[in-house]
Amino acid sequence: MTLLPARVTGDPLRLVLLAIAAVTVVTGACQMVAPGFVLELLSTDSARSSSLSRHLFATVGMFMIVIGGLLAQQLLSPGAPSFPLLWVGLQKFGAFALVTAGVTRELFTGLALLVALFDLATAGLCWLLWRRPPRPAEPFVAASAGTTEPEIR
């Protein structure tokens, strides 16, 4: 017996993305609560931690919690629209690009590059699920022309 719906447990892509969503929420919470500790793990000696950088790092952690929660809710909710997958994927790709830029500028260590590659992989998985046609058990919900009520096809 599982607490997860069959649409998640029967779909390896959804299951992996749900695990990533949980990891995103947990790591975001760690980053929000202890930004200095996480920043020290990922930053180089040349990028010294300041109260401003710790505060901004905690703010990023808060957004990680929101994005992870959004992804989890999208995956667990039956009939949920697919557009959150696009936006989560774009956020993860943006995180990859910016952290990679920080590594090339020697602000972050190689460990941060692993985090960036994880974000890139997550962006790719979100894109795959977003582009995948709906399965028969998942009705496609579209708005009818001229109405605000969704139409199930």
Side-chain angles (χ1 to χ4, degrees), residues 93-146:
F93 183 79
F96 157 76
L98 290 169
V99 170
T100 300
V103 171
T104 60
R105 293 177 58 209
E106 298 181 356
L107 299 172
F108 297 121
T109 65
L111 181 59
L113 191 56
L114 291 176
V115 173
L117 291 172
F118 183 79
D119 283 336
L120 179 62
T122 303
L125 293 175
C126 284
W127 185 83
L128 285 174
L129 188 56
W130 177 63
R131 297 300 304 157
R132 186 168 77 182
R135 294 179 172 197
E138 302 173 51
F140 176 75
V141 178
S144 298

Short mmCIF file of all heavy atoms in Angstrom, two decimals, residues 93-146:
data_model
loop_
_atom_site.label_atom_id
_atom_site.label_comp_id
_atom_site.label_asym_id
_atom_site.label_seq_id
_atom_site.Cartn_x
_atom_site.Cartn_y
_atom_site.Cartn_z
N PHE A 93 16.41 25.37 -15.52
CA PHE A 93 17.42 25.69 -16.53
C PHE A 93 18.12 27.00 -16.19
O PHE A 93 19.34 27.12 -16.34
CB PHE A 93 16.80 25.76 -17.94
CG PHE A 93 17.82 26.01 -18.99
CD1 PHE A 93 18.61 24.97 -19.46
CD2 PHE A 93 18.03 27.28 -19.49
CE1 PHE A 93 19.59 25.20 -20.42
CE2 PHE A 93 19.00 27.52 -20.45
CZ PHE A 93 19.78 26.48 -20.92
N GLY A 94 17.36 27.98 -15.73
CA GLY A 94 17.96 29.26 -15.32
C GLY A 94 18.93 29.07 -14.16
O GLY A 94 20.01 29.68 -14.14
N ALA A 95 18.56 28.22 -13.20
CA ALA A 95 19.45 27.94 -12.08
C ALA A 95 20.74 27.29 -12.58
O ALA A 95 21.84 27.64 -12.15
CB ALA A 95 18.77 27.03 -11.06
N PHE A 96 20.60 26.35 -13.52
CA PHE A 96 21.79 25.72 -14.12
C PHE A 96 22.70 26.78 -14.74
O PHE A 96 23.91 26.80 -14.50
CB PHE A 96 21.36 24.69 -15.17
CG PHE A 96 22.42 24.40 -16.19
CD1 PHE A 96 23.51 23.60 -15.86
CD2 PHE A 96 22.36 24.94 -17.46
CE1 PHE A 96 24.51 23.34 -16.79
CE2 PHE A 96 23.35 24.69 -18.39
CZ PHE A 96 24.43 23.89 -18.05
N ALA A 97 22.12 27.66 -15.55
CA ALA A 97 22.92 28.67 -16.25
C ALA A 97 23.62 29.62 -15.28
O ALA A 97 24.81 29.91 -15.43
CB ALA A 97 22.02 29.46 -17.22
N LEU A 98 22.89 30.08 -14.27
CA LEU A 98 23.48 31.06 -13.34
C LEU A 98 24.51 30.44 -12.41
O LEU A 98 25.54 31.06 -12.13
CB LEU A 98 22.36 31.74 -12.55
CG LEU A 98 21.51 32.68 -13.40
CD1 LEU A 98 20.27 33.12 -12.65
CD2 LEU A 98 22.32 33.88 -13.86
N VAL A 99 24.26 29.22 -11.95
CA VAL A 99 25.26 28.56 -11.09
C VAL A 99 26.51 28.23 -11.91
O VAL A 99 27.64 28.41 -11.44
CB VAL A 99 24.67 27.31 -10.39
CG1 VAL A 99 25.76 26.51 -9.69
CG2 VAL A 99 23.59 27.73 -9.39
N THR A 100 26.32 27.78 -13.14
CA THR A 100 27.46 27.50 -14.01
C THR A 100 28.28 28.76 -14.24
O THR A 100 29.52 28.74 -14.21
CB THR A 100 27.00 26.89 -15.35
OG1 THR A 100 26.30 25.67 -15.07
CG2 THR A 100 28.17 26.60 -16.27
N ALA A 101 27.59 29.88 -14.46
CA ALA A 101 28.29 31.17 -14.61
C ALA A 101 29.07 31.50 -13.33
O ALA A 101 30.20 31.99 -13.40
CB ALA A 101 27.31 32.28 -14.94
N GLY A 102 28.49 31.21 -12.18
CA GLY A 102 29.19 31.44 -10.91
C GLY A 102 30.42 30.57 -10.76
O GLY A 102 31.44 31.01 -10.20
N VAL A 103 30.35 29.34 -11.27
CA VAL A 103 31.53 28.46 -11.23
C VAL A 103 32.61 28.99 -12.16
O VAL A 103 33.78 29.04 -11.79
CB VAL A 103 31.14 27.01 -11.60
CG1 VAL A 103 32.38 26.13 -11.77
CG2 VAL A 103 30.22 26.41 -10.53
N THR A 104 32.24 29.42 -13.37
CA THR A 104 33.24 29.93 -14.30
C THR A 104 33.87 31.23 -13.80
O THR A 104 35.02 31.51 -14.12
CB THR A 104 32.66 30.15 -15.72
OG1 THR A 104 31.60 31.09 -15.65
CG2 THR A 104 32.16 28.85 -16.30
N ARG A 105 33.13 32.00 -13.00
CA ARG A 105 33.67 33.24 -12.42
C ARG A 105 34.40 32.95 -11.10
O ARG A 105 34.81 33.88 -10.41
CB ARG A 105 32.54 34.23 -12.18
CG ARG A 105 31.93 34.72 -13.49
CD ARG A 105 30.75 35.64 -13.29
NE ARG A 105 31.12 36.79 -12.49
CZ ARG A 105 30.29 37.46 -11.70
NH1 ARG A 105 29.04 37.09 -11.59
NH2 ARG A 105 30.70 38.50 -11.02
N GLU A 106 34.52 31.67 -10.76
CA GLU A 106 35.21 31.21 -9.55
C GLU A 106 34.56 31.72 -8.26
O GLU A 106 35.23 31.96 -7.26
CB GLU A 106 36.70 31.57 -9.61
CG GLU A 106 37.40 30.89 -10.77
CD GLU A 106 38.88 31.21 -10.84
OE1 GLU A 106 39.38 32.03 -10.04
OE2 GLU A 106 39.53 30.64 -11.72
N LEU A 107 33.24 31.86 -8.31
CA LEU A 107 32.49 32.19 -7.10
C LEU A 107 32.06 30.93 -6.37
O LEU A 107 31.91 30.94 -5.15
CB LEU A 107 31.25 33.03 -7.46
CG LEU A 107 31.52 34.36 -8.14
CD1 LEU A 107 30.21 34.99 -8.60
CD2 LEU A 107 32.27 35.29 -7.20
N PHE A 108 31.82 29.86 -7.15
CA PHE A 108 31.39 28.58 -6.59
C PHE A 108 32.40 27.49 -6.93
O PHE A 108 33.12 27.59 -7.92
CB PHE A 108 30.02 28.18 -7.14
CG PHE A 108 28.90 29.11 -6.77
CD1 PHE A 108 28.17 29.74 -7.75
CD2 PHE A 108 28.57 29.35 -5.45
CE1 PHE A 108 27.13 30.59 -7.43
CE2 PHE A 108 27.54 30.20 -5.11
CZ PHE A 108 26.81 30.82 -6.10
N THR A 109 32.39 26.44 -6.12
CA THR A 109 33.29 25.30 -6.31
C THR A 109 32.70 24.30 -7.30
O THR A 109 31.57 24.46 -7.76
CB THR A 109 33.52 24.57 -4.98
OG1 THR A 109 32.27 24.02 -4.54
CG2 THR A 109 34.10 25.50 -3.92
N GLY A 110 33.45 23.25 -7.56
CA GLY A 110 32.98 22.18 -8.43
C GLY A 110 31.75 21.49 -7.88
O GLY A 110 30.94 20.96 -8.65
N LEU A 111 31.58 21.47 -6.58
CA LEU A 111 30.38 20.89 -5.98
C LEU A 111 29.14 21.62 -6.47
O LEU A 111 28.11 21.01 -6.76
CB LEU A 111 30.46 20.94 -4.45
CG LEU A 111 29.29 20.36 -3.67
CD1 LEU A 111 29.08 18.89 -4.01
CD2 LEU A 111 29.51 20.53 -2.17
N ALA A 112 29.23 22.91 -6.63
CA ALA A 112 28.11 23.70 -7.15
C ALA A 112 27.81 23.32 -8.60
O ALA A 112 26.66 23.36 -9.03
CB ALA A 112 28.39 25.19 -7.03
N LEU A 113 28.84 22.92 -9.34
CA LEU A 113 28.62 22.48 -10.71
C LEU A 113 27.79 21.20 -10.75
O LEU A 113 26.95 21.02 -11.63
CB LEU A 113 29.95 22.29 -11.44
CG LEU A 113 29.88 22.10 -12.94
CD1 LEU A 113 29.16 23.25 -13.63
CD2 LEU A 113 31.27 21.93 -13.52
N LEU A 114 27.99 20.33 -9.77
CA LEU A 114 27.15 19.13 -9.68
C LEU A 114 25.68 19.51 -9.43
O LEU A 114 24.77 18.91 -10.00
CB LEU A 114 27.65 18.20 -8.57
CG LEU A 114 28.99 17.52 -8.83
CD1 LEU A 114 29.41 16.70 -7.61
CD2 LEU A 114 28.91 16.64 -10.06
N VAL A 115 25.48 20.50 -8.58
CA VAL A 115 24.12 21.01 -8.32
C VAL A 115 23.54 21.57 -9.62
O VAL A 115 22.37 21.32 -9.95
CB VAL A 115 24.13 22.08 -7.20
CG1 VAL A 115 22.76 22.73 -7.05
CG2 VAL A 115 24.59 21.47 -5.88
N ALA A 116 24.34 22.30 -10.37
CA ALA A 116 23.88 22.88 -11.63
C ALA A 116 23.49 21.78 -12.63
O ALA A 116 22.47 21.89 -13.31
CB ALA A 116 24.97 23.78 -12.22
N LEU A 117 24.30 20.74 -12.70
CA LEU A 117 23.98 19.64 -13.62
C LEU A 117 22.71 18.91 -13.20
O LEU A 117 21.93 18.46 -14.05
CB LEU A 117 25.17 18.68 -13.72
CG LEU A 117 26.39 19.27 -14.42
CD1 LEU A 117 27.59 18.33 -14.31
CD2 LEU A 117 26.09 19.61 -15.88
N PHE A 118 22.48 18.79 -11.90
CA PHE A 118 21.24 18.21 -11.38
C PHE A 118 20.05 19.07 -11.83
O PHE A 118 19.02 18.54 -12.25
CB PHE A 118 21.32 18.11 -9.85
CG PHE A 118 20.13 17.46 -9.22
CD1 PHE A 118 19.98 16.09 -9.21
CD2 PHE A 118 19.16 18.24 -8.60
CE1 PHE A 118 18.88 15.50 -8.62
CE2 PHE A 118 18.05 17.66 -8.00
CZ PHE A 118 17.91 16.27 -8.01
N ASP A 119 20.20 20.39 -11.76
CA ASP A 119 19.13 21.29 -12.21
C ASP A 119 18.91 21.15 -13.72
O ASP A 119 17.76 21.18 -14.18
CB ASP A 119 19.45 22.74 -11.85
CG ASP A 119 19.19 23.05 -10.39
OD1 ASP A 119 18.37 22.36 -9.77
OD2 ASP A 119 19.81 24.01 -9.87
N LEU A 120 19.97 21.00 -14.49
CA LEU A 120 19.83 20.82 -15.92
C LEU A 120 19.08 19.52 -16.23
O LEU A 120 18.18 19.50 -17.08
CB LEU A 120 21.20 20.82 -16.61
CG LEU A 120 21.19 20.61 -18.13
CD1 LEU A 120 20.43 21.74 -18.83
CD2 LEU A 120 22.62 20.50 -18.64
N ALA A 121 19.43 18.45 -15.55
CA ALA A 121 18.74 17.17 -15.74
C ALA A 121 17.26 17.31 -15.37
O ALA A 121 16.38 16.80 -16.07
CB ALA A 121 19.41 16.08 -14.91
N THR A 122 16.98 18.02 -14.28
CA THR A 122 15.59 18.23 -13.87
C THR A 122 14.83 19.03 -14.92
O THR A 122 13.68 18.70 -15.25
CB THR A 122 15.54 18.96 -12.51
OG1 THR A 122 16.26 18.19 -11.55
CG2 THR A 122 14.12 19.16 -12.04
N ALA A 123 15.46 20.04 -15.48
CA ALA A 123 14.82 20.83 -16.55
C ALA A 123 14.47 19.92 -17.73
O ALA A 123 13.37 20.02 -18.28
CB ALA A 123 15.74 21.97 -16.99
N GLY A 124 15.38 19.05 -18.09
CA GLY A 124 15.12 18.12 -19.19
C GLY A 124 13.97 17.17 -18.89
O GLY A 124 13.12 16.92 -19.75
N LEU A 125 13.90 16.66 -17.68
CA LEU A 125 12.81 15.75 -17.30
C LEU A 125 11.47 16.48 -17.29
O LEU A 125 10.46 15.93 -17.73
CB LEU A 125 13.10 15.13 -15.93
CG LEU A 125 14.29 14.18 -15.87
CD1 LEU A 125 14.55 13.73 -14.43
CD2 LEU A 125 14.10 12.98 -16.79
N CYS A 126 11.46 17.71 -16.80
CA CYS A 126 10.23 18.51 -16.83
C CYS A 126 9.78 18.73 -18.27
O CYS A 126 8.59 18.61 -18.58
CB CYS A 126 10.44 19.86 -16.13
SG CYS A 126 10.47 19.76 -14.34
N TRP A 127 10.72 19.03 -19.14
CA TRP A 127 10.39 19.25 -20.55
C TRP A 127 9.81 17.98 -21.16
O TRP A 127 8.81 18.04 -21.89
CB TRP A 127 11.63 19.72 -21.31
CG TRP A 127 11.32 20.07 -22.73
CD1 TRP A 127 10.82 21.26 -23.18
CD2 TRP A 127 11.46 19.23 -23.88
NE1 TRP A 127 10.65 21.21 -24.55
CE2 TRP A 127 11.03 19.97 -25.00
CE3 TRP A 127 11.91 17.93 -24.06
CZ2 TRP A 127 11.04 19.44 -26.28
CZ3 TRP A 127 11.92 17.41 -25.34
CH2 TRP A 127 11.49 18.16 -26.44
N LEU A 128 10.41 16.82 -20.86
CA LEU A 128 9.90 15.55 -21.39
C LEU A 128 8.46 15.30 -20.96
O LEU A 128 7.62 14.92 -21.78
CB LEU A 128 10.78 14.38 -20.94
CG LEU A 128 12.13 14.22 -21.63
CD1 LEU A 128 12.92 13.10 -20.96
CD2 LEU A 128 11.93 13.92 -23.11
N LEU A 129 8.18 15.51 -19.68
CA LEU A 129 6.82 15.27 -19.19
C LEU A 129 5.86 16.32 -19.75
O LEU A 129 4.72 16.00 -20.09
CB LEU A 129 6.79 15.26 -17.66
CG LEU A 129 5.46 14.84 -17.03
CD1 LEU A 129 5.02 13.45 -17.51
CD2 LEU A 129 5.57 14.85 -15.51
N TRP A 130 6.30 17.54 -19.87
CA TRP A 130 5.46 18.61 -20.42
C TRP A 130 5.08 18.32 -21.87
O TRP A 130 3.95 18.55 -22.29
CB TRP A 130 6.18 19.95 -20.30
CG TRP A 130 5.44 21.10 -20.89
CD1 TRP A 130 4.23 21.59 -20.50
CD2 TRP A 130 5.86 21.91 -21.99
NE1 TRP A 130 3.87 22.67 -21.28
CE2 TRP A 130 4.86 22.89 -22.20
CE3 TRP A 130 6.99 21.93 -22.79
CZ2 TRP A 130 4.96 23.85 -23.20
CZ3 TRP A 130 7.08 22.89 -23.78
CH2 TRP A 130 6.07 23.84 -23.97
N ARG A 131 6.03 17.80 -22.65
CA ARG A 131 5.80 17.54 -24.07
C ARG A 131 5.13 16.20 -24.33
O ARG A 131 4.67 15.95 -25.44
CB ARG A 131 7.13 17.58 -24.84
CG ARG A 131 7.81 18.93 -24.81
CD ARG A 131 7.01 20.06 -25.39
NE ARG A 131 6.61 19.76 -26.75
CZ ARG A 131 5.58 20.31 -27.38
NH1 ARG A 131 4.82 21.18 -26.77
NH2 ARG A 131 5.28 19.98 -28.61
N ARG A 132 5.07 15.33 -23.34
CA ARG A 132 4.48 14.01 -23.53
C ARG A 132 2.97 14.14 -23.71
O ARG A 132 2.32 14.86 -22.95
CB ARG A 132 4.81 13.13 -22.32
CG ARG A 132 4.35 11.70 -22.48
CD ARG A 132 4.93 10.82 -21.42
NE ARG A 132 4.23 11.02 -20.16
CZ ARG A 132 4.55 10.40 -19.04
NH1 ARG A 132 5.57 9.58 -18.99
NH2 ARG A 132 3.86 10.61 -17.94
N PRO A 133 2.42 13.44 -24.69
CA PRO A 133 0.97 13.50 -24.86
C PRO A 133 0.26 12.92 -23.63
O PRO A 133 0.80 12.04 -22.96
CB PRO A 133 0.70 12.62 -26.08
CG PRO A 133 2.03 12.34 -26.70
CD PRO A 133 3.08 12.60 -25.67
N PRO A 134 -0.93 13.42 -23.31
CA PRO A 134 -1.65 12.88 -22.15
C PRO A 134 -1.94 11.39 -22.34
O PRO A 134 -2.20 10.94 -23.46
CB PRO A 134 -2.95 13.67 -22.11
CG PRO A 134 -2.82 14.77 -23.10
CD PRO A 134 -1.66 14.46 -23.99
N ARG A 135 -1.89 10.65 -21.27
CA ARG A 135 -2.21 9.23 -21.32
C ARG A 135 -3.72 9.08 -21.26
O ARG A 135 -4.41 9.97 -20.79
CB ARG A 135 -1.54 8.52 -20.15
CG ARG A 135 -0.04 8.56 -20.29
CD ARG A 135 0.62 7.87 -19.13
NE ARG A 135 2.05 7.77 -19.41
CZ ARG A 135 2.85 6.97 -18.78
NH1 ARG A 135 2.40 6.23 -17.80
NH2 ARG A 135 4.12 6.93 -19.09
N PRO A 136 -4.24 7.92 -21.69
CA PRO A 136 -5.69 7.74 -21.68
C PRO A 136 -6.33 7.96 -20.30
O PRO A 136 -7.43 8.47 -20.22
CB PRO A 136 -5.87 6.29 -22.12
CG PRO A 136 -4.63 5.98 -22.91
CD PRO A 136 -3.54 6.81 -22.29
N ALA A 137 -5.63 7.62 -19.24
CA ALA A 137 -6.18 7.81 -17.89
C ALA A 137 -6.12 9.27 -17.45
O ALA A 137 -6.66 9.63 -16.44
CB ALA A 137 -5.41 6.94 -16.89
N GLU A 138 -5.43 10.10 -18.23
CA GLU A 138 -5.29 11.51 -17.91
C GLU A 138 -6.02 12.32 -18.97
O GLU A 138 -5.50 12.54 -20.04
CB GLU A 138 -3.82 11.93 -17.92
CG GLU A 138 -2.94 11.15 -16.98
CD GLU A 138 -1.49 11.53 -17.19
OE1 GLU A 138 -1.17 12.72 -17.19
OE2 GLU A 138 -0.67 10.61 -17.37
N PRO A 139 -7.25 12.75 -18.69
CA PRO A 139 -7.98 13.52 -19.70
C PRO A 139 -7.28 14.84 -20.00
O PRO A 139 -6.69 15.45 -19.13
CB PRO A 139 -9.35 13.75 -19.07
CG PRO A 139 -9.14 13.56 -17.61
CD PRO A 139 -7.98 12.62 -17.45
N PHE A 140 -7.37 15.23 -21.25
CA PHE A 140 -6.83 16.51 -21.67
C PHE A 140 -7.88 17.57 -21.38
O PHE A 140 -9.01 17.45 -21.80
CB PHE A 140 -6.47 16.47 -23.15
CG PHE A 140 -5.98 17.77 -23.69
CD1 PHE A 140 -4.70 18.21 -23.39
CD2 PHE A 140 -6.79 18.57 -24.46
CE1 PHE A 140 -4.24 19.42 -23.89
CE2 PHE A 140 -6.35 19.78 -24.95
CZ PHE A 140 -5.08 20.20 -24.67
N VAL A 141 -7.51 18.62 -20.65
CA VAL A 141 -8.45 19.68 -20.32
C VAL A 141 -8.07 20.91 -21.13
O VAL A 141 -6.95 21.38 -21.07
CB VAL A 141 -8.41 20.00 -18.80
CG1 VAL A 141 -9.36 21.14 -18.48
CG2 VAL A 141 -8.75 18.77 -18.00
N ALA A 142 -9.05 21.40 -21.90
CA ALA A 142 -8.81 22.58 -22.72
C ALA A 142 -10.00 23.52 -22.58
O ALA A 142 -11.12 23.08 -22.38
CB ALA A 142 -8.63 22.19 -24.18
N ALA A 143 -9.75 24.79 -22.70
CA ALA A 143 -10.84 25.77 -22.65
C ALA A 143 -11.51 25.81 -24.01
O ALA A 143 -10.85 25.84 -25.04
CB ALA A 143 -10.31 27.14 -22.28
N SER A 144 -12.84 25.79 -24.03
CA SER A 144 -13.59 25.91 -25.27
C SER A 144 -13.56 27.36 -25.73
O SER A 144 -13.52 28.28 -24.91
CB SER A 144 -15.05 25.49 -25.06
OG SER A 144 -15.11 24.14 -24.67
N ALA A 145 -13.59 27.55 -27.03
CA ALA A 145 -13.56 28.91 -27.57
C ALA A 145 -14.76 29.70 -27.09
O ALA A 145 -15.89 29.23 -27.15
CB ALA A 145 -13.53 28.85 -29.10
N GLY A 146 -14.51 30.87 -26.57
CA GLY A 146 -15.58 31.77 -26.14
C GLY A 146 -16.15 31.47 -24.78
O GLY A 146 -17.12 32.12 -24.37
#
